[in-house]
Amino acid sequence: MYFLTGWPRRLLCPLKSQEEPFHLRPSSQRFYFAVLSETQLSIWFSRPSVLIVSYIESAKAAVQFGVYQKAEWKPDDSMIAVATAKGYVLLFDVLGGADGKSLYEPVYPRGSPRVRVTPGYKEEQCAPALSLEMKKPVDLEAPITSLQSLQDDLLLCTADGYLHVLHWDGLGSNGRKAVCLTTIPFSLDLQSARGGPSLDLEGVHICCMEYCVTLDGFAVVLSDGRLGFITPLSNTITTDQLQGVWAADVNDGTCVAVNNKYRLMAFGCASGSVLVYMIDSTTGSMQLSHKLELTPKHFPDVYNKTGPVKLICWSPDYSVAMVTWECGGLSLWSVFGAHLICTLGEDFAYRSDGTKKDPVKISSMSWGAEGYHLWVLPNKHERQGEEEEEQQQEDKEDKEEGEEGEMASSPQPSVQAGILQFQFIKSALTVNPCTSNQEQVLLHGEDRLYLTCGDLSQVHSASEPHPHSHMNPHDSSPLHHPPDPDSPLSQGLSTLLGHKHWHVVQIHSTYLESNWPIRFAAIDTAGQCMAVAGRRGLAHYSLCTRKWKLFGNVTQEQNMTVTGGLAWWKDFVVVACYNFTDQQEQLRLYQRSSNLDNAFASVTKLHSDTLLLNVFRDMVILFRADCSICLYGLERRNDSPHPTASVELLQEVSMSRYIPHPALVVSVTLTSVRTETGITLKAPQQACMAESIMLNLAGQLIMLQRDRSGPQVREKETPANNKKLLPFCPPVVLAQCVENVWTTCRSNRKKRHLLEALWLSCGEAGMKVWLPLFPRDHRKPHSFLSRRIMLPFHINIYPLAVLFEDALVLGATNESVLYDGLQGSSEPLEALFPYCTVERTSQIYLHHILRQLLVRNLGEQALMLAQSCASLPYFPHVMELMVHVVLEEEATSREPIPDPLLPTVAKFITEFPLFLQTIVHCARKTEYALWNYLFAAVGNPKDLFEECLMAQDLDTAASYLIILQNMEVPAVSRQHATLLFNTALEHGKWDLCRHMIRFLKAIGSGEMETPPPTPTTQEPSSGGFEFFRNRSISLSQSADAIATGKFNLQKTFSMPSGPSVKGRDAECAENMYIDMMLWRHARHLLEQVRLRDLGCFSAQLGFELIGWLCRERNRVARVEDFVCALKRLHKDFLWPFPVVPGGSISSPLKNGRCRTVLSTRLLKSQSADSLLNSDMDTAPPQAASTSHTWLDGLGQTSKDMDAASSAHSNRHSPQTHDAFLSLLTNKVEEYSVGSATDLTETSSVVDGDWTMVDESSSTLSLSQAELEHISMELANKGPHKSQVQLRYLLHVFMEAGCLEWCVVIGLILRDANVIKQVIGFLDSPEVPQETVQSVRGGLLAVDAWVSADCLGYKPFLNLIQPQLQDLMDSAAEQVQPEAFQPGGLSSKLGAAEGPGSAAAPRAEDGRGATAPPGLAPPSLEPAGSFPRPSHEDCPPELTEEQGEDEGAYDCTLS
């Protein structure tokens, strides 16, 4: 509502005097302020804030009258009454101001356009020269306790118990009456009162009194602390016609302030709280409405130490009250008790080093014009000490005041008086409530506007960057197209919540100088146009053009004043104003793009003064001073060169029977809200019609609905032009204590609950929503079910706007920034008050509404509402909040709850897919003590864990595991952790696997009640090639433990020495348990021929692949089917099948269908050149379906394969080739610099360019050398990364002696050296005979397959024909195996590491126990590594093919 901004200004009195000002009183318009010191009356002007005149009493008169105490202005500002200590009333005439003389005038440079203005224009900006002239004093013979100005009378209360009525003009004896307090009958209400005078008022007098216009009576505080209200029974105050009522049970009142707009009386109490009373309209008794008090929750250290309330000040628009206490400090509340600011806590009360500051004690305060300033007089005895503390320069120039540092210790003979001026910005809703149907927050300070509207560029085209996030509205920027005025634009979340900064627009200085203060501000629906109205005229601004539009003719501007507010309708600004020339009230519409001139305005004459205005679709609703409501229809006309609007009166409604005083109406709104929402199916169409009027009458929300009880006329039967509007029913009260109302005229079928609701802000009671209830699926509504329901809920911010579809409330909040010690020892004002800023805030309210519906057993409605909002980005957060709030309340409650809500909430959340996440996130953010209560309602965490596993939501399952670990015994945690570990392994979630290994170890060490040991060996960083890291998760194995087969590769498998085994039994057992699972998974992968996954698994988890393969050499590490294995490797490593050069296609072949298959494969796997050169016609489209399964699977295996490989499916379209080829060249460049991109991003295309063989030559004529050359060219073609990975795996299998796998990898790499080497090993007598037979059988099977299906391998098989022949020949001789020495193998391996196997470095280099840990062998290049923890590296196949592993879920507990 109101927000502090910046630092307070300090106004220094130019007259040096020893007297300190202590009393401040504003004139009726708040342009002048009377400031009293003991013998001096000064008048200050508000803008510029300067001293105009000062009257100093002579010493003789000062002795006679006593010191000045209080002052009061006459309503027309022509006189001031001053009460003195000895019972005199001094009346001063205020002269001047009208004769045109000025004390201060603006000086313009010569030639400035502002000089050539109409006469009388300049006076608006001048400080007038006034003089004070004292009239004859009036002696009341008793100290005066209170002054109050009425229209023609001055009411004074004296300490002898009398009320004196003085006439401002006739000051003879006939001009005054006196009423004794004891003659006024008091009672608890007006019905029982008619008795005689009250006897208990002897010796009691009124110590504070204020007149309330709208209640027509006086709120009084008596000297014994009782509170009362005195009302005259007729228009004149005479003895026998006054009547009083008490407030029951209060006797510590100190002061009072009345709120005329809301008919409230705020009484300050000695306890420090403020009691706000209203008058009951039926009995006339005083009823407590609410209290304004600091709560122990928010102010634990000061809430009961404030002292009595010193002063209460309502703002000029009566929307907020400022309170100060005897002990100092300021606090601001909204009219119905929402707390906005307090200077007793946070940065106001503490310095940055934590020391406490003394709050400023205040002797008097008053609001300035329109509430933009609060004028404050600090206490006398404090001010000398604060002279240097409150060192604030009005224009940041008075730095010379800093020399007054000694004034605290030695009082100076004369002190410069100071007034503090706090600066505020306020919401446009306070004075122009018609802005409540917008979804923007608009605040205005005295010279600038703050808006939260998002970037215009985002609203219309997301591609344009936002050019004007600056504060300065005048820098140039490209023009944007203004939005279409006819489309009601709902701004997206991104625009409204994109940042925390305000868009600040400076109000045009030319307009401001002559029309300060700004009284109204409005913004259009799209948030792109603003309009402001000051004392006279108006101006509007466009965010698109960054320009203000002012009246070109200043006379027109000065001849009108806005009375009822401003609003935007499409691209017109609608104004209810008073025209001084014609002396009549008018409704005007000015078009945004035309010049601001009456010539382009559409003007409608009105019969009565307009107090409020609002716009709904194409209608304007006016509330007038005669308590009537008028509805006008608007229509845009484009017939003239400038668009105009026509206005016609539709309906008038008199409300004088229901409204006691027109000033009590806070807002008037036209809405489509009605009580019978769910009746018809065509309700959404009717939702657009103006169905009812909402009036906020002094905080009571009154609704007038259209009366549909009469004979209904069908819309078709009436011609469109004379459609008569239905009359309105008598009003119904919907709610009390309402500050603001929000509603929208948009409709949305999916979110009808939110868009057809009515939103209310109710001060300390939070917010309320009047929600429509719809029958589900258009069933017949229940007769007992109400059509709407009012739901209250609390929010933590003060609401300023509601985003209907997004279920958000927007607001603003005060933040403060400390600046300490800016001037050394003498603290400036900055140290006393922090610098205040205003921040945008927002809050979700959906969980409150859902909860309220569930409490009322309206679960079906809650479900419909939640489902309509399920797409919101913060919907999961809403669900969590709902569970969390209910859990905290119920689990911490001291008394048993008869009907707990948590089970209902839990059941409600199960309707949504994020149920499991919601519960676990909520549990982990809640303390452990509440978990049992939570899981008693939502279900056993073990069951929820298993549900997560079934849904394959492993991350959520891991969160449940943490809960199980805390709630269950270790054995149960281990069992579930094992399940999760196995599943994570299967899905390739390596990060999760690493966490699970750590978790399982922690459980193992926890069982023995010892902390988990820290490994003694550091993991060396190996520059990205993670295969050769030291193992940190294996148990400390000795070389003998591994020699399970006949091999004893001691050097190969030596380990860094880990922690000693003694005393580590638990850890060893735990490590053994984990290793068993890892071994089982590796076996599983190898059985399924998933070599790439095996490599990833080994790299990511540091698995000892070579040692394990040594043990499994004759078991699982065999190859059953060489052809399947070869196909699978092609698929997993995205390795292209070899192709026959183009000429061979025409040669006669054994298999008839080979031709088409080869040519499709050719298309698939050749480089750019060959793709363009090959003859497309050789590949009919249907051939693709006959090709092998790896072709079909290729597109589906990877979800994240890029366009290069996904383009295969439509490879016959030429456009596809273009995109695909250019993409490929990028990839080639990336790989050539050795990037470690995930290999699913590579394509299956051979990315080299090899020469096409001429088609005329046949294959048969090629020589052996040419064949070998082509084979070698092809052998190197495949994704570089896959090549490095295959080479590495080849090296691993060689080291482990798995010769069958070496053959398969040698085949796919088409590396003749590898095959020669392996076949050479097979001759060795140490190799088991089964291996020899297996290799022989496998090669024969491959040969058969190649001849039938894949001729591309033929050249390579021809190349290794001699070795194959040797192998076949040796089959005849059955050689008995002898002892196979490891040394022999090592030497052969070493010999074989020629150029052909350069990418397969020896394991001994990186893994020997003697090698220093930081040393990596030079041949290890990181380009082809399986990089460690990134998620992308988990192979795509894993997500789709989960192999069935029978042992996957049975857990052995060690």
Side-chain angles (χ1 to χ4, degrees), residues 645-863:
S646 66
V647 181
E648 63 162 331
L649 179 64
L650 300 177
Q651 197 169 4
E652 284 196 51
V653 184
S654 172
M655 295 290 292
S656 51
R657 288 170 54 196
Y658 310 109
I659 298 175
H661 196 290
L664 294 173
V665 178
V666 181
S667 69
V668 58
T669 317
L670 202 56
T671 75
S672 54
V673 170
R674 41 196 263 231
T675 47
E676 67 276 6
T677 46
I679 294 185
T680 53
L681 298 186
K682 55 182 186 186
Q685 288 82 45
Q686 291 182 345
C688 312
M689 294 167 61
E691 284 296 333
S692 54
I693 296 172
M694 300 284 174
L695 272 184
N696 184 350
L697 176 65
Q700 272 196 336
L701 187 65
I702 293 176
M703 175 179 180
L704 291 89
Q705 283 199 92
R706 296 236 180 242
D707 187 358
R708 297 184 175 275
S709 57
Q712 298 293 302
V713 184
R714 282 200 198 151
E715 291 181 15
K716 294 175 201 163
E717 295 167 6
T718 56
N721 50 10
N722 63 353
K723 196 188 291 182
K724 197 167 182 327
L725 289 172
L726 293 170
F728 287 94
C729 303
V732 182
V733 176
L734 288 186
Q736 306 279 357
C737 300
V738 176
E739 292 180 5
N740 284 313
V741 183
W742 292 274
T743 165
T744 180
C745 55
R746 285 183 288 114
S747 58
N748 178 343
R749 276 215 82 119
K750 290 184 181 142
K751 294 192 177 177
R752 285 184 61 193
H753 276 98
L754 295 177
L755 280 170
E756 293 180 32
L758 188 72
W759 304 89
L760 318 174
S761 111
C762 301
E764 67 168 353
M767 286 188 75
K768 290 181 182 170
V769 55
W770 202 36
L771 201 68
L773 302 178
F774 298 110
R776 191 153 195 171
D777 310 326
H778 308 314
R779 289 193 293 234
K780 196 162 180 266
H782 297 297
S783 53
F784 59 84
L785 189 68
S786 134
R787 304 277 156 65
R788 278 184 178 267
I789 188 166
M790 188 72 82
L791 303 174
F793 58 93
H794 274 276
I795 58 170
N796 302 327
I797 63 174
Y798 189 87
L800 296 175
V802 176
L803 301 188
F804 304 96
E805 279 110 326
D806 298 319
L808 274 180
V809 172
L810 300 184
T813 179
N814 255 117
E815 298 291 334
S816 49
V817 187
L818 271 177
Y819 289 92
D820 273 4
L822 290 183
Q823 291 188 351
S825 58
S826 61
E827 282 189 312
L829 178 72
E830 286 86 315
L832 202 60
F833 290 101
Y835 184 85
C836 292
T837 58
V838 183
E839 295 253 319
R840 296 169 53 173
T841 54
S842 59
Q843 196 172 335
I844 303 168
Y845 56 72
L846 193 57
H847 59 290
H848 294 296
I849 298 179
L850 295 175
R851 182 187 166 183
Q852 293 282 353
L853 287 169
L854 292 176
V855 167
R856 290 163 171 75
N857 287 327
L858 293 169
E860 198 175 62
Q861 299 289 329
L863 196 59

Side-chain angles (χ1 to χ4, degrees), residues 55-127:
Y55 178 94
I56 301 177
E57 193 66 80
S58 66
K60 180 184 167 193
V63 172
Q64 180 194 348
F65 300 141
V67 295
Y68 292 172
Q69 285 185 328
K70 296 184 184 314
E72 183 65 82
W73 288 80
K74 190 178 175 186
D76 62 359
D77 299 354
S78 63
M79 291 177 80
I80 299 177
V82 175
T84 66
K86 295 192 177 176
Y88 285 86
V89 179
L90 311 180
L91 289 139
F92 292 87
D93 275 330
V94 182
L95 306 172
D99 54 1
K101 284 186 185 165
S102 298
L103 192 63
Y104 293 93
E105 289 187 0
V107 178
Y108 295 115
R110 191 174 293 164
S112 159
R114 292 191 178 118
V115 180
R116 302 188 297 276
V117 293
T118 51
Y121 173 62
K122 194 170 69 172
E123 280 71 21
E124 300 287 345
Q125 314 145 47
C126 303

Side-chain angles (χ1 to χ4, degrees), residues 62-331:
V63 172
Q64 180 194 348
F65 300 141
V67 295
Y68 292 172
Q69 285 185 328
K70 296 184 184 314
E72 183 65 82
W73 288 80
K74 190 178 175 186
D76 62 359
D77 299 354
S78 63
M79 291 177 80
I80 299 177
V82 175
T84 66
K86 295 192 177 176
Y88 285 86
V89 179
L90 311 180
L91 289 139
F92 292 87
D93 275 330
V94 182
L95 306 172
D99 54 1
K101 284 186 185 165
S102 298
L103 192 63
Y104 293 93
E105 289 187 0
V107 178
Y108 295 115
R110 191 174 293 164
S112 159
R114 292 191 178 118
V115 180
R116 302 188 297 276
V117 293
T118 51
Y121 173 62
K122 194 170 69 172
E123 280 71 21
E124 300 287 345
Q125 314 145 47
C126 303
L130 303 180
S131 61
L132 291 171
E133 199 174 278
M134 186 166 138
K135 297 173 106 175
K136 184 185 165 191
V138 181
D139 185 6
L140 297 180
E141 299 163 8
I144 298 165
T145 57
S146 182
L147 285 89
Q148 178 69 46
S149 172
L150 301 179
Q151 205 53 44
D152 299 320
D153 296 316
L154 179 66
L155 196 66
L156 304 104
C157 305
T158 52
D160 55 3
Y162 277 85
L163 278 92
H164 297 269
V165 185
L166 267 68
H167 207 290
W168 274 107
D169 302 328
L171 291 169
S173 56
N174 60 344
R176 62 186 261 214
K177 312 184 191 80
V179 178
C180 181
L181 188 60
T182 54
T183 62
I184 302 174
F186 272 89
S187 60
L188 282 174
D189 58 47
L190 289 178
Q191 289 174 337
S192 59
R194 292 290 176 270
S198 306
L199 301 176
D200 58 348
L201 289 178
E202 288 297 334
V204 175
H205 63 269
I206 295 173
C207 62
C208 188
M209 170 181 73
E210 195 165 332
Y211 178 64
C212 180
V213 183
T214 49
L215 283 172
D216 191 24
F218 302 91
V220 296
V221 177
L222 302 183
S223 54
D224 59 1
R226 280 183 291 179
L227 315 177
F229 176 72
I230 299 174
T231 177
L233 298 178
S234 68
N235 292 334
T236 58
I237 296 180
T238 52
T239 317
D240 53 343
Q241 293 194 314
L242 290 178
Q243 172 71 50
V245 287
W246 293 126
D249 308 325
V250 184
N251 51 13
D252 65 343
T254 55
C255 58
V256 64
V258 298
N259 186 323
N260 283 310
K261 195 170 200 66
Y262 289 89
R263 301 176 96 183
L264 297 172
M265 300 170 285
F267 292 95
C269 297
S271 64
S273 57
V274 175
L275 305 177
V276 183
Y277 280 91
M278 48 187 265
I279 296 289
D280 187 305
S281 51
T282 51
T283 64
S285 60
M286 288 176 69
Q287 287 192 334
L288 182 65
S289 167
H290 55 278
K291 290 183 182 181
L292 312 180
E293 54 188 355
L294 298 180
T295 57
K297 180 180 170 191
H298 296 110
F299 298 93
D301 43 353
V302 293
Y303 76 97
N304 53 1
K305 301 188 179 72
T306 55
V309 176
K310 177 89 180 276
L311 292 163
I312 305 168
C313 264
W314 289 102
S315 62
D317 54 29
Y318 294 112
S319 59
V320 293
M322 184 66 86
V323 175
T324 183
W325 295 275
E326 293 287 355
C327 296
L330 289 166
S331 190

Side-chain angles (χ1 to χ4, degrees), residues 1165-1242:
S1165 55
Q1166 283 172 345
S1167 68
D1169 299 342
S1170 42
L1171 261 174
L1172 299 174
N1173 298 338
S1174 64
D1175 183 12
M1176 294 293 281
D1177 297 327
T1178 56
Q1182 63 269 31
S1185 58
T1186 63
S1187 61
H1188 288 283
T1189 51
W1190 68 271
L1191 286 174
D1192 309 330
L1194 195 62
Q1196 302 135 19
T1197 51
S1198 154
K1199 287 181 184 168
D1200 56 352
M1201 210 183 269
D1202 62 11
S1205 46
S1206 62
H1208 294 324
S1209 52
N1210 47 4
R1211 58 183 175 275
H1212 295 288
S1213 66
Q1215 307 92 299
T1216 314
H1217 283 299
D1218 296 358
F1220 155 17
L1221 295 174
S1222 60
L1223 194 58
L1224 204 60
T1225 48
N1226 287 344
K1227 292 284 179 205
V1228 174
E1229 285 160 16
E1230 276 179 33
Y1231 286 122
S1232 62
V1233 296
S1235 84
T1237 326
D1238 183 12
L1239 68 99
T1240 53
E1241 289 180 14
T1242 64

Side-chain angles (χ1 to χ4, degrees), residues 390-408:
E390 295 163 6
Q391 183 67 49
Q392 168 74 357
Q393 52 288 22
E394 167 140 21
D395 294 314
K396 309 281 184 262
E397 290 160 1
D398 311 339
K399 293 283 186 193
E400 67 275 359
E401 287 288 319
E403 281 88 65
E404 296 179 15
E406 317 81 51
M407 285 171 35

